[in-house]
Amino acid sequence: MTATLDFKITKTQASRLSQVDFDNLPFGTIFSDHMFTADYQQGKWQNPQIIPFGDLSLSPATSALHYGQAFFEGMKGFRQVNGKVAVFRPWKNHARFNKSANRMCMPTIPEELFLESLKELINLDRDWVPHNDNQSLYIRPVMFATEPHLGVHPSESYKYILMTCPIGAYFNKNLKVKIETRYARSCEGGVGFAKNAGNYAASLYPTTIAQQEGFDQLIWTDAKEHAYIEETGASNVMFLINNVLITPNTKETILDGVTRDSVLQLARSWGIEVQERPIPVKEIIDSLQTGKLQEAYGVGTAAIIAPISEIGYKENLYQLADPATWTLSKKITQTLNDMRKGLSHDIFSWNFII
Ligand SMILES: Cc1ncc(COP(=O)(O)O)c(C=O)c1O
């Protein structure tokens, strides 16, 4: 069997679908039957194929394992009311994928290959896309260096893999976050805007400390002074103060989130004032102390809108009003949900329909 771009499709002989408990979906541990893979060799992408999801065989000298040339993306596909599947804004993820690739000295992927592999894989594993509310298909593209060579230089070869997982809600509670004042996620001139694996590895230790202190997540601050808000561990961050929606402007230390962009476009279309600018930590603490901080959230593909109900800064813990009373976050969540599920008109043409 071949697809439009002429890649080979080898179907699994033993689907695992009937073993999945769709009423109890954890995040990122249940994988759909198939995966897409392609290899970059001799300066071009080769051997594109869909094969049963399974283990890889790698040399212990695989350069990604030693020098970290690896990055990924994260998207979601939603079951629409008409049975089709809508992948949310994959064009933006493709653009960011190639931005990460350039920064990590890795090859880019043509949009056609990115979208076609997505379409064919999801088409084949269509029954893995969950039907229930709050569920979706998480889509994970990843690329890594495969050259078996113990020397620090850009690899000559790479592997691209696309895999999918049916998932439930990422966070099912309000977040208690700590504003980080010691460690940094990224710095000017660094790789904070890329989705490279190393950014996440470096965040594990500070996040673990915060979790031992009873927090769910960190809010990263700038590396120089820890005086400006950046983003959370796996999402951008937004605050509603005096009915103005504020979020740090994107720059090379922050990931340019697809959800962030979508939320800002929605808010602007509703006539809400939006400000993308440096946000001093002091402004957030002042607004907490004076009760002016109305809503705060992490916004990202995995979590969508994750309400922040408590913020720790130095020795103090500040409480926000009960997120159940917030109106803007609910409106954003509902609107995004309705658009993705095909319950309302996709006015921004954000859905990639499969
Ligand atoms: C560090 C970081 N910031 C922000 C985001 C949000 O980006 P997006 O909305 O594209 O998922 C993510 C998740 O991908 C992330 O890992």
Side-chain angles (χ1 to χ4, degrees):
M1 192 174 163
T2 55
T4 330
L5 263 186
D6 256 359
F7 39 81
K8 224 174 88 197
I9 299 179
T10 309
K11 288 190 184 175
T12 180
Q13 296 299 307
S15 171
R16 290 171 281 102
L17 187 60
S18 62
Q19 298 159 24
V20 179
D21 175 5
F22 275 88
D23 292 326
N24 185 18
L25 290 173
F27 186 89
T29 54
I30 297 171
F31 298 94
S32 312
D33 277 333
H34 299 91
M35 62 184 182
F36 174 88
T37 70
D39 299 305
Y40 187 85
Q41 272 156 354
Q42 282 99 39
K44 58 177 199 288
W45 286 105
Q46 311 195 8
N47 195 23
Q49 58 177 334
I50 290 178
I51 53 177
F53 181 89
D55 294 347
L56 306 171
S57 165
L58 294 172
S59 160
T62 298
S63 63
L65 300 177
H66 301 261
Y67 310 116
Q69 265 191 306
F71 68 91
F72 63 97
E73 265 303 326
M75 295 173 273
K76 271 183 180 170
F78 297 83
R79 174 74 66 184
Q80 296 210 302
V81 280
N82 61 8
K84 292 189 172 162
V85 179
V87 178
F88 192 68
R89 305 187 75 183
W91 309 276
K92 294 269 302 170
N93 294 86
H94 170 256
R96 193 172 63 190
F97 187 92
N98 281 348
K99 239 169 123 178
S100 297
N102 280 325
R103 181 62 179 83
M104 302 308 287
C105 231
M106 294 165 73
T108 55
I109 284 208
E111 188 180 76
E112 195 189 8
L113 177 60
F114 190 86
L115 294 179
E116 197 64 22
S117 57
L118 187 64
K119 203 166 99 191
E120 292 297 334
L121 183 67
I122 291 182
N123 222 356
L124 187 60
D125 282 338
R126 180 173 285 278
D127 292 343
W128 286 80
V129 183
H131 286 82
N132 297 343
D133 273 356
N134 291 327
Q135 296 184 330
S136 56
L137 189 75
Y138 185 74
I139 304 162
R140 168 58 60 89
V142 63
M143 195 207 291
F144 59 92
T146 52
E147 189 183 343
H149 182 131
L150 298 184
V152 183
H153 71 131
S155 173
E156 296 273 320
S157 58
Y158 298 88
K159 197 172 222 11
Y160 171 63
I161 303 180
L162 184 60
M163 66 195 98
T164 67
C165 306
I167 58 162
Y170 190 67
F171 293 122
N172 44 19
K173 62 179 185 117
N174 301 321
L175 298 182
K176 179 177 174 182
V177 301
K178 168 185 164 183
I179 297 181
E180 180 60 55
T181 53
R182 161 81 178 84
Y183 299 99
R185 174 185 171 274
S186 68
C187 62
E188 304 292 334
V191 294
F193 66 89
K195 234 172 138 53
N196 60 305
N199 281 347
Y200 296 84
S203 72
L204 295 176
Y205 180 69
T207 306
T208 302
I209 294 176
Q211 284 167 348
Q212 283 163 355
E213 293 167 355
F215 295 96
D216 300 303
Q217 271 288 335
L218 291 179
I219 291 187
W220 293 106
T221 50
D222 69 284
K224 269 193 208 143
E225 305 171 81
H226 297 294
Y228 291 90
I229 300 284
E230 299 239 300
E231 59 184 326
T232 82
S235 66
N236 295 109
V237 66
M238 292 188 183
F239 304 92
L240 186 69
I241 301 177
N242 287 335
N243 296 321
V244 178
L245 189 63
I246 63 170
T247 190
N249 47 307
T250 51
K251 47 189 181 123
E252 65 186 358
T253 58
I254 293 178
L255 198 81
D256 186 359
V258 178
T259 319
R260 174 190 181 281
D261 180 76
S262 312
V263 170
L264 296 185
Q265 281 197 53
L266 278 179
R268 286 190 172 111
S269 78
W270 295 331
I272 292 168
E273 187 183 339
V274 168
Q275 294 178 0
E276 298 175 73
R277 59 169 171 83
I279 303 178
V281 173
K282 185 171 179 318
E283 179 180 346
I284 298 305
I285 302 303
D286 287 351
S287 71
L288 280 161
Q289 285 170 338
T290 53
K292 290 193 178 132
L293 182 51
Q294 298 157 282
E295 303 185 12
Y297 0 91
V299 301
T301 296
I304 308 187
I305 309 291
I308 296 171
S309 56
E310 290 175 280
I311 299 181
Y313 181 58
K314 298 189 171 162
E315 289 76 43
N316 300 311
L317 185 64
Y318 301 91
Q319 310 274 346
L320 281 84
D322 181 359
T325 64
W326 301 355
T327 49
L328 182 59
S329 66
K330 272 200 213 109
K331 186 171 172 185
I332 296 166
T333 307
Q334 188 69 48
T335 306
L336 285 175
N337 195 45
D338 288 355
M339 271 183 183
R340 290 157 157 175
K341 299 223 154 178
L343 290 163
S344 67
H345 184 49
D346 178 16
I347 46 168
F348 297 103
S349 299
W350 282 340
N351 289 329
F352 177 68
I353 303 292
I354 296 171

